[in-house]
């Protein structure tokens, strides 16, 4: 390994290059000027100038989710760092590998309330997987390599490296440490074989099995999705997925029951409720998935595979917990299944599928078509039909449109679905789409948005235009914060407190003002043409798709209800949410 | 799970951490952020070269919460090892307290007599006060403090619990 004297800023750039970073999303400021100067004097790392630091983080997340590689953000001290906090928390909740470099005031000024000073490591401690304040230029190389190791190994997550300006300026030694072997952080990736054997046995004995897969399968790399598909093929068992896990199993695989949870399908939730053996792979029994905990899948034996031991037995007590990476554990599970020549109980399985098919026959995603007003579900069905051959990357904002996108856009492969699940961050979709488009310049990238969410980071249209990123923003515009309004319908007597947005902008004119293109659809018969036109335009496009204003998203497990107490449509909405349910988020 | 009905247990947990800036904040932040209890917490560097520290935490919660606390601690990057001294067999637990008592006459004599019975040492004295140093289990210290209430207790400083498992092996083997 070579070692030489360089400025701290040069060390940062050199380390990023050695770590294989090809793009950084960022925004300059006083405390990172030395790093920007070093960036300016090289060509290997591309810098994408965003318009708000939150967007730098979401873009880094979009890049990371769509590539499996860590995303990198660079922001200045003080407000730069505090603006990044939402994106960091988002990445923490959804386990996205992101490294965020923050500028900091010079070490001798720390604690003096200097200009643009914030206690960045203090503020970001609870919203990162780990963070560092670098106090010596000689430590920079080691810390940066460690930061990438921690962001990407074990359960992925965001790591902040806070860089005082004097450390960036001082000269020091850089050595590429190569492969990091961390002194305390060594996550377990291989599962305990004895437990895996037990899991295979439990699965083989199941009469009413279900596989419940989550974002951990996506995070474990494309191989994990292939292994999950193999397990499904081998066993013939039904499989459902969390919001985060969509794409691991193809949406149109007959074994796939659709998404589960609050807006999951009738068949997926009922199968979860009635199963006798549940195999949870890389999911975390989130409250949006389980519904009321004491009524969650009451009769089942539960197996939980997770890279993070703290996810096991956190919300739901399981019968068998296996700590390990989804790909490794699934691989071993399949080996055991084959070696023991296990066969599913065909008779029981047939009965189980018959029951599932009855649930399926309810056709829970059906909606009332309309030939005058664009139904949001219809718009997404058309979007899917007309774009699926391009295998687009789909991001979303947060709300009804997000749930409809999850229900109606069929994902056939992992890493193509970028949505803020855990934190539920409105304003996520456009910058995430920008990150994905940077990573996949020739692919179609669509942000399925709501008119309220998109306004939270609309300034990123300017980023897209500057960097020639032809992202498509497909707004389902119902003029309401639809999900807020839906909850007001359910729990607050349809008193729509502040959920209607008066004075919305003209999105077509807005797109044009940014230098992009704007399109509008107001009638169902315009939808196809608008989508085709959108795809044909080689620059950022905003589609203002004006949809039915009061449509609600079904099915729905209301807050505080169990999986088998779903609302399938407006006709089920009679009862107000229970008092206990109202207290839940 | 409705935790209200479940029994609450007190556990003593030992954590070996890298002795680096902010590590205690990470541990305390974890407890406050996730709503866990800290009944007592002690920390000091323990390695020859000061590279690691031992944190001893006494906490209470349901079985599921205690399990969660340990898993969450293990997840922190600078944490080397987490041990549950309550679960993993017999352990020695000690706490040190300094107890200031002020009084004259019979009360003063009585406080000294009780201190002797508790094997507390006098580490400071004036004509009207003592500071007692007392080491032992937390329950013993609390009992002594209770007795001093009526005899002129002025103030108390307690270290919190330190603990080691009995037997020849340590946490990091």
């Amino acid at each position: 390994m070579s070692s030489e004297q360089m400025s701290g800023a040069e060390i940062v750039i050199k380390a990023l290059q050695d770590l294989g970073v090809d793009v950084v999303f960022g925004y300059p400021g006083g405390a990172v000027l030395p790093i920007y100067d070093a960036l300016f004097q090289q060509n290997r790392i591309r810098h994408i100038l965003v318009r708000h630091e939150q967007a730098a983080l979401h873009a880094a997340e979009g890049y990371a989710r769509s590539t499996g590689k860590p995303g990198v953000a660079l922001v200045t001290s003080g407000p730069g760092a505090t603006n990044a906090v939402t994106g960091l928390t988002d990445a923490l909740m959804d386990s996205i590998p992101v490294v965020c470099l923050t500028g900091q005031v010079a070490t001798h000024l720390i604690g003096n309330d200097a200009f643009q000073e914030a206690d960045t490591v203090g503020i970001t401690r609870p919203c990162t997987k780990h963070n560092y304040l670098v106090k010596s230029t000689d430590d920079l190389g080691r810390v940066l390599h460690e930061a990438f190791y921690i962001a990407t190994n074990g359960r992925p997550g965001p790591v902040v490296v806070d860089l005082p300006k004097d450390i960036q300026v001082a000269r020091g030694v850089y050595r590429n440490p190569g492969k990091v072997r961390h002194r305390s952080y060594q996550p377990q990736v291989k599962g305990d074989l004895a437990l895996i054997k037990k899991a295979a046995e439990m699965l083989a004995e199941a009469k009413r099995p279900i596989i419940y897969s989550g974002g951990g399968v996506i995070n474990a790399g494309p191989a994990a999705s292939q292994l999950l598909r193999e397990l499904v093929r081998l066993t013939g068992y039904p499989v459902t997925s969390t919001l985060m896990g969509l794409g691991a199993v193809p949406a149109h695989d007959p074994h796939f029951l659709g998404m589960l949870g609050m807006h999951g399908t009738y068949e997926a939730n009922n199968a979860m409720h009635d199963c006798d053996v549940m195999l949870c792979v890389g999911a975390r029994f989130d409250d949006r998935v389980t519904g009321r905990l004491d009524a969650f899948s009451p009769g089942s034996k539960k197996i939980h595979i997770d890279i993070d031991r703290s996810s096991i037995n956190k919300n739901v007590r399981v019968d068998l917990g296996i700590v390990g990476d989804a790909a490794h554990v699934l691989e071993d599970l399949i080996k055991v299944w084959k070696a023991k020549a296990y066969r599913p109980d065909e008779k029981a399985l047939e009965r189980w599928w018959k029951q599932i098919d009855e649930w399926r026959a309810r056709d829970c995603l059906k909606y009332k078509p309309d030939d005058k007003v664009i139904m949001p579900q219809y718009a997404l069905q058309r979007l899917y039909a007309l774009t699926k051959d391009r295998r687009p990357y789909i991001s979303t904002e947060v709300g009804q449109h997000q749930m409809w996108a999850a229900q109606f856009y069929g994902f056939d492969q992992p890493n193509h679905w970028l949505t803020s699940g855990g934190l539920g961050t409105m304003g996520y979709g456009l910058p995430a789409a920008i990150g994905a488009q940077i990573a996949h310049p020739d692919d179609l990238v669509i942000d399925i948005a709501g008119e309220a969410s998109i306004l939270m980071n609309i300034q990123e249209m300017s980023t897209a235009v500057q960097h020639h990123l032809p992202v498509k923003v497909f707004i389902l515009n119902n003029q309401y914060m639809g999900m807020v309004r839906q909850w007001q319908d359910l729990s607050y007597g349809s008193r729509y407190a502040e959920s209607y947005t008066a004075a919305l902008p003209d999105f077509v004119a807005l797109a044009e003002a940014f230098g992009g293109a704007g399109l509008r659809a107001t009638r169902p018969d315009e939808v196809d043409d608008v989508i085709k036109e959108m795809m044909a335009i080689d620059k950022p496009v905003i589609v203002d798709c004006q949809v039915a204003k009061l449509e609600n998203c079904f099915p729905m497990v209301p807050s505080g209800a169990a999986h088998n107490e779903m609302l399938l449509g407006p006709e089920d909405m009679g009862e107000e949410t229970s008092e206990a349910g109202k207290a839940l988020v | 799970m409705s935790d209200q009905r479940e029994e609450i247990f007190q556990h003593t947990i030992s954590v070996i951490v890298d002795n680096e800036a902010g590590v205690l904040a990470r541990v305390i932040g974890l407890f406050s952020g996730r709503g866990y209890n800290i009944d007592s917490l002690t920390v000091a560097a323990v390695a020859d070269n000061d590279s690691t520290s031992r944190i001893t935490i006494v906490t209470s919660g349901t079985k599921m919460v205690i399990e969660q606390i340990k898993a969450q601690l293990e997840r922190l990057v600078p944490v080397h090892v987490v041990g549950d001294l309550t679960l993993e067999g017999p352990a020695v637990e000690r706490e040190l307290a300094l107890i200031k008592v002020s009084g004259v006459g019979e009360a003063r004599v009585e406080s000294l007599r009780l201190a002797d019975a508790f094997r507390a040492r006098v580490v400071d004295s004036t004509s009207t006060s003592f500071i007692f140093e007392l080491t032992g289990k937390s329950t013993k210290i609390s009992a002594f403090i209770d007795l001093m209430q009526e005899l002129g207790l002025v103030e108390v400083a307690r270290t919190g619990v330190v603990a080691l498992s009995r037997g020849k092996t340590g946490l990091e083997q």
Side-chain angles (χ1 to χ4, degrees), chain A residues 41-116:
Chain A
Q41 298 179 52
Q42 56 87 52
N43 291 317
R44 278 174 59 190
I45 298 174
R46 187 174 171 202
H47 181 270
I48 303 300
L49 177 66
V50 295
R51 299 301 187 263
H52 186 289
E53 289 87 352
Q54 182 192 350
L57 272 294
H58 293 327
E61 286 185 273
Y63 177 91
R65 281 192 200 222
S66 66
T67 61
K69 297 197 290 183
V72 183
L74 171 59
V75 303
T76 193
S77 63
T82 56
N83 278 346
V85 164
T86 300
L88 292 167
T89 313
D90 192 276
L92 183 73
M93 291 287 270
D94 285 346
S95 311
I96 309 301
V98 167
V99 174
C100 177
L101 311 181
T102 56
Q104 182 55 280
V105 300
T107 43
H108 71 276
L109 291 173
I110 289 177
N112 285 12
D113 299 327
F115 177 65
Q116 291 195 330

Side-chain angles (χ1 to χ4, degrees), chain A residues 406-420:
Chain A
Q407 292 173 340
F408 287 92
Y409 208 99
F411 295 94
D412 291 334
Q413 46 197 330
N415 301 102
H416 282 242
W417 166 240
L418 324 168
T419 195
S420 170

Side-chain angles (χ1 to χ4, degrees), chain A residues 288-340:
Chain A
R288 283 297 182 272
V289 156
T290 60
R292 201 171 82 229
L293 269 179
D294 59 7
F296 173 71
S297 193
S300 63
K301 293 257 182 245
K302 300 172 186 74
I303 306 164
H304 187 184
I305 300 167
D306 206 292
I307 188 88
D308 179 1
R309 185 162 92 84
S310 75
S311 281
I312 296 172
N313 290 330
K314 181 171 69 180
N315 301 325
V316 170
R317 188 159 277 289
V318 297
D319 300 275
L320 185 66
I322 302 173
V323 178
D325 172 84
H328 284 91
V329 178
L330 284 173
E331 190 180 11
D332 286 343
L333 186 62
I334 289 167
K335 271 189 200 153
V336 171
W337 182 277
K338 284 179 175 168
K340 297 255 181 187

Side-chain angles (χ1 to χ4, degrees), chain A residues 325-563:
Chain A
D325 172 84
H328 284 91
V329 178
L330 284 173
E331 190 180 11
D332 286 343
L333 186 62
I334 289 167
K335 271 189 200 153
V336 171
W337 182 277
K338 284 179 175 168
K340 297 255 181 187
Y342 281 133
R343 293 276 174 276
D345 182 337
E346 292 293 351
K347 264 207 171 126
L349 195 58
E350 200 178 307
R351 275 198 303 275
W352 182 224
W353 272 112
K354 197 161 159 278
Q355 169 67 68
I356 290 170
D357 287 339
E358 278 171 30
W359 288 323
R360 262 184 177 159
R362 290 290 294 267
D363 191 12
C364 67
L365 295 179
K366 70 172 180 286
Y367 59 93
K368 233 188 189 160
D370 197 302
D371 55 6
K372 294 196 182 57
V373 180
I374 303 173
M375 296 308 286
Q377 301 95 328
Y378 171 77
L380 289 179
Q381 282 176 322
R382 294 315 300 155
L383 184 72
Y384 174 57
L386 295 169
T387 61
K388 64 179 176 190
D389 291 342
R390 299 268 305 267
R391 302 186 147 209
Y393 292 86
I394 303 286
S395 72
T396 72
E397 310 289 334
V398 168
Q400 284 183 326
H401 68 273
Q402 177 191 28
M403 292 298 109
W404 279 317
Q407 292 173 340
F408 287 92
Y409 208 99
F411 295 94
D412 291 334
Q413 46 197 330
N415 301 102
H416 282 242
W417 166 240
L418 324 168
T419 195
S420 170
L423 193 63
T425 310
M426 292 169 74
Y428 173 85
L430 175 54
I434 285 171
Q437 188 81 77
I438 287 285
H440 310 276
D442 300 325
D443 287 305
L444 178 62
V445 181
I446 306 171
D447 170 27
I448 297 174
E451 81 293 335
S453 282
I454 193 65
L455 287 177
M456 285 213 183
N457 270 324
I458 190 70
Q459 77 286 348
E460 297 309 315
M461 275 299 283
S462 179
T463 305
V465 169
Q466 179 188 339
H467 299 283
H468 307 290
L469 304 170
V471 294
K472 317 300 183 204
V473 180
F474 191 80
I475 302 176
L476 297 177
N477 181 353
N478 65 359
Q479 301 180 21
Y480 280 98
M481 294 155 211
M483 194 58 92
V484 172
R485 199 216 55 233
Q486 177 162 346
W487 280 52
Q488 289 170 335
D489 279 334
L490 270 167
S491 305
Y492 300 92
S494 298
R495 293 180 296 280
Y496 297 155
E498 301 297 326
S499 55
Y500 179 78
T501 312
L504 280 168
D506 173 342
F507 285 107
V508 172
L510 188 62
E512 284 162 2
F514 276 114
L519 301 170
R520 180 169 289 130
T522 56
R523 291 198 323 268
D525 58 10
E526 293 170 345
V527 171
D528 278 25
D529 288 345
V530 161
I531 292 170
K532 286 177 196 157
E533 200 182 340
M534 169 190 92
M535 286 199 290
I537 299 173
D538 188 27
K539 55 179 177 178
V541 182
I542 293 179
V543 175
D544 180 13
C545 184
Q546 300 190 347
V547 297
K549 287 191 175 42
L550 298 177
E551 183 68 1
N552 283 333
C553 181
F554 293 104
M556 179 175 190
V557 179
S559 207
H563 270 170

Side-chain angles (χ1 to χ4, degrees), chain A residues 28-42:
Chain A
V32 279
L33 281 173
I35 297 176
Y36 271 87
D37 194 48
L39 256 179
F40 188 80
Q41 298 179 52
Q42 56 87 52

Side-chain angles (χ1 to χ4, degrees), chain A residues 60-209:
Chain A
E61 286 185 273
Y63 177 91
R65 281 192 200 222
S66 66
T67 61
K69 297 197 290 183
V72 183
L74 171 59
V75 303
T76 193
S77 63
T82 56
N83 278 346
V85 164
T86 300
L88 292 167
T89 313
D90 192 276
L92 183 73
M93 291 287 270
D94 285 346
S95 311
I96 309 301
V98 167
V99 174
C100 177
L101 311 181
T102 56
Q104 182 55 280
V105 300
T107 43
H108 71 276
L109 291 173
I110 289 177
N112 285 12
D113 299 327
F115 177 65
Q116 291 195 330
E117 182 188 356
D119 175 9
T120 300
V121 285
I123 290 168
T124 62
R125 201 174 284 126
C127 66
T128 53
K129 183 174 173 188
H130 195 53
N131 62 14
Y132 297 89
L133 170 62
V134 183
K135 287 184 172 166
S136 154
T137 305
D138 288 338
D139 284 345
L140 269 173
R142 175 186 61 81
V143 168
L144 284 164
H145 282 264
E146 228 179 81
F148 276 74
Y149 167 84
I150 285 165
T152 53
N153 280 272
R155 181 175 176 174
V159 176
V160 160
V161 183
D162 201 23
L163 302 165
K165 198 171 181 184
D166 55 328
I167 301 301
Q168 300 170 36
V169 173
R171 300 188 77 75
V173 177
Y174 171 69
R175 255 182 337 108
N176 180 351
K179 203 169 150 48
V180 174
R181 186 171 156 74
H182 196 273
R183 59 200 177 282
S184 58
Y185 190 72
Q186 292 144 21
Q188 181 181 348
V189 291
K190 289 287 276 183
D192 181 328
L193 201 58
L195 298 177
I196 293 171
K197 283 181 178 161
K198 179 81 186 115
E201 194 187 323
M202 285 166 73
L203 281 172
E205 285 168 4
K207 310 287 179 212
R208 298 184 309 281

